[in-house]
Amino acid sequence: MTTAQLTTRQADRLITALRHGQALDTAVADLHLELSAVWASARTDTRLTIALSGRDPDGPDEASRAVRADFLRLLALGVAPSRAELIVGVSSTSGWRSDPAFATACNAVSSAAAPYGHNRQMRLTPARVARFLKALSAPGTTVLAAAAAVGVTASAIYQRRHRDDEFAKAMDAARAAARGQPPGLTMTGR
């Protein structure tokens, strides 16, 4: 049996009550809600979950905290860190990992999920490279966006660029095409 979830309006009203310091049981009773619906909604409603923890979901640090939590959730589900970065839309989590508590959490979650983890690395196949270069040649496209479009990380792209001169030249040509320049012409050569 599935428990019904709160509507968006109900969740917003509950969040407002909690932000104003009302106790959860009082707010639930005043708003004529079922506590089971609150718990069911908190599984997928990040703002509600933050409010239930006693913090303001619209506070300045909460968006970053929510992205970190999503990253950890993906690791727990066995998603590779590089793929998790693509899913949550960050170019790198290395800055986060400078926080010892977060680094420890990442390692613990990854270790716990290891038996169920992603075990196949996404390769830069010739077809994937061609799609990446095509995406990169579109005006205004960043390396991060072009890499994400083919399902690899920007880090993988730059590693390949560093070790493969032909790939580096092809990237430069794609970037030049995006700027409407002939291949080989640099910005200073205009």
Side-chain angles (χ1 to χ4, degrees), residues 9-182:
R9 184 168 186 249
Q10 288 172 323
D12 286 343
R13 292 176 67 205
L14 178 58
I15 290 168
T16 299
L18 295 172
R19 286 172 71 186
H20 288 103
Q22 194 169 15
L24 177 61
D25 57 339
T26 305
V28 167
D30 289 351
L31 296 170
H32 307 290
L33 303 175
E34 293 292 327
L35 202 49
S36 59
V38 172
W39 303 141
S41 297
R43 289 184 206 125
T44 58
D45 186 333
T46 303
R47 289 185 74 243
L48 177 59
T49 304
I50 292 168
L52 289 170
S53 71
R55 297 187 320 271
D56 180 357
D58 299 321
D61 296 333
E62 294 306 328
S64 174
R65 186 172 299 169
V67 172
R68 288 182 187 205
D70 286 342
F71 182 78
L72 287 171
R73 179 184 63 83
L74 291 167
L75 293 182
L77 292 172
V79 175
S82 59
R83 181 68 51 86
E85 288 174 358
L86 291 171
I87 293 169
V88 298
V90 297
S91 60
S92 172
T93 58
S94 61
W96 296 349
R97 288 180 180 260
S98 64
D99 171 1
F102 186 74
T104 300
C106 286
N107 293 338
V109 169
S110 292
S111 293
Y116 316 103
H118 184 267
N119 57 14
R120 191 173 65 86
Q121 191 68 278
M122 187 62 76
R123 303 277 179 217
L124 272 171
T125 62
R128 196 167 278 122
V129 167
R131 290 194 329 264
F132 165 77
L133 293 171
K134 182 177 180 182
L136 188 61
S137 68
T141 303
T142 65
V143 171
L144 177 62
V150 299
V152 298
T153 64
S155 177
I157 295 294
Y158 286 119
Q159 288 171 9
R160 172 79 177 263
R161 179 181 174 84
H162 180 72
R163 71 175 187 273
D164 183 342
D165 289 336
E166 292 302 314
F167 181 70
K169 289 176 186 173
M171 276 184 69
D172 292 342
R175 286 177 167 161
R179 292 189 303 266
Q181 298 175 330

